[in-house]
Amino acid sequence: NLFENLIALEILDLSFNSLISIPKDYFKKNMAISSLYLNNNKINHIDLFILQINNLIHTFIFANNNLTSFDFNLFLFSSSLVNLKKVNLRNNTIIELTNLDTPTDLDKNLDSIESLDLSFNYLSNVHFKFLFTNNNKLKSIQLNNNNLRYININIFNIFINIEDLNLEFNCIEKIEPYSFSSLDFLVELILSNNNLSVLDNGTLDGLFQLRFLNLSKNHLEHIYSDLFADLFSLLSLDLNYNKLKFL
């Protein structure tokens, strides 16, 4: 009952401690918390009911802990997260995201999220098919420093309003053509420090608003003539540290 009477509390910062777990009744529904910081602890489990507090919370920071998986039912059981804008799960040891491929009412709780950070984990596969179906506010996805190897056409095709996509420092060897073609408002795409040896025609099709493209530190030997055909707005193109022999 530590926080039971703190009904006016808006910001709760428990970061940089040695917490291992958070009991499900730690936070009360009558609390006015808008920002919850649990980063830099040793938490290896999140109870599914931990976020059943109020509809004011907009920032959930859970970076730098010891999570090995993240169950998105956490948001399903938290029906009041209508103002949640920022989710940060950076720098855990997450190897899988669970309960992403079953249609539920889950996505209704994520309509307001604008920023999702899953960087510095151990993800080898991600698919958001039923997760952000009704979200038209998500602007930024950070998936850098994971173990992604293959990008297919179904991973990002629901993020029609995303502006910033970071995929650097993965192990990406192949990007299926048209994987980004639905990202009409994408401004920055970072694909540096991967294992790309070829980008097929169609890989960058539809990115009419793209301004910054980083393909550095891959293994590209050749660039097809039509690869950049749709990049009318491009301001910066980084191709350094590849294996290009001719253009």
Side-chain angles (χ1 to χ4, degrees):
N1 299 321
L2 181 62
F3 304 125
E4 185 172 8
N5 296 321
L6 305 181
I7 59 175
L9 188 67
E10 295 182 358
I11 300 174
L12 178 57
D13 192 340
L14 290 165
S15 60
F16 291 94
N17 281 286
S18 298
L19 297 173
I20 297 176
S21 63
I22 304 294
K24 66 180 180 181
D25 55 352
Y26 222 58
F27 308 110
K28 309 300 181 182
K29 289 187 177 181
N30 62 340
M31 297 178 73
I33 295 177
S34 60
S35 298
L36 177 59
Y37 298 90
L38 292 165
N39 52 288
N40 295 85
N41 279 280
K42 299 178 181 179
I43 301 171
N44 54 31
H45 174 72
I46 308 178
D47 190 279
L48 289 177
F49 297 91
I50 191 175
L51 290 181
Q52 283 204 23
I53 40 182
N54 56 67
N55 60 6
L56 299 177
I57 189 166
H58 58 70
T59 300
F60 178 58
I61 307 295
F62 208 86
N64 300 294
N65 278 285
N66 294 330
L67 292 177
T68 58
S69 66
F70 185 78
D71 188 344
F72 273 87
N73 273 328
L74 171 70
F75 299 107
L76 175 62
F77 284 102
S78 306
S79 57
S80 60
L81 299 179
V82 294
N83 289 310
L84 185 63
K85 297 184 182 301
K86 183 176 182 179
V87 176
N88 188 335
L89 294 164
R90 173 188 175 95
N91 200 22
N92 279 272
T93 56
I94 300 174
I95 59 175
E96 64 176 345
L97 305 176
T98 58
N99 292 305
L100 294 183
D101 53 3
T102 303
T104 65
D105 290 331
L106 171 63
D107 60 299
K108 295 179 181 178
N109 299 334
L110 301 176
D111 289 355
S112 60
I113 291 182
E114 298 176 359
S115 173
L116 176 64
D117 192 340
L118 291 164
S119 62
F120 290 90
N121 281 288
Y122 295 95
L123 294 168
S124 59
N125 184 35
V126 291
H127 45 98
F128 303 103
K129 185 175 181 181
F130 298 107
L131 187 58
F132 293 98
T133 305
N134 297 317
N135 184 312
N136 59 8
K137 297 180 179 179
L138 190 65
K139 304 296 184 183
S140 174
I141 297 179
Q142 306 297 314
L143 278 166
N144 53 288
N145 297 82
N146 276 283
N147 293 327
L148 300 177
R149 294 184 178 276
Y150 179 67
I151 303 298
N152 68 54
I153 197 172
N154 296 315
I155 295 180
F156 301 113
N157 61 356
I158 60 173
F159 300 117
I160 57 174
N161 289 313
I162 191 173
E163 297 177 359
D164 174 22
L165 178 58
N166 190 344
L167 295 168
E168 69 177 336
F169 285 101
N170 276 279
C171 306
I172 301 172
E173 299 175 352
K174 174 70 174 178
I175 300 177
E176 187 177 356
Y178 311 108
S179 292
F180 306 121
S181 61
S182 63
L183 309 183
D184 294 340
F185 298 98
L186 191 66
V187 172
E188 183 172 19
L189 176 60
I190 305 177
L191 288 163
S192 56
N193 291 280
N194 278 287
N195 296 326
L196 293 167
S197 59
V198 62
L199 290 174
D200 295 325
N201 279 335
T203 301
L204 302 174
D205 279 17
L207 299 180
F208 302 111
Q209 302 299 322
L210 193 69
R211 296 184 181 182
F212 305 97
L213 175 61
N214 193 334
L215 293 166
S216 66
K217 298 180 181 178
N218 278 280
H219 307 294
L220 296 173
E221 297 181 358
H222 173 67
I223 296 177
Y224 290 105
S225 58
D226 293 331
L227 181 64
F228 303 133
D230 287 350
L231 306 187
F232 305 125
S233 302
L234 197 65
L235 299 176
S236 174
L237 174 61
D238 194 340
L239 287 164
N240 75 74
Y241 287 96
N242 276 282
K243 298 181 179 180
L244 295 171
K245 297 179 181 179
F246 58 90
L247 297 175

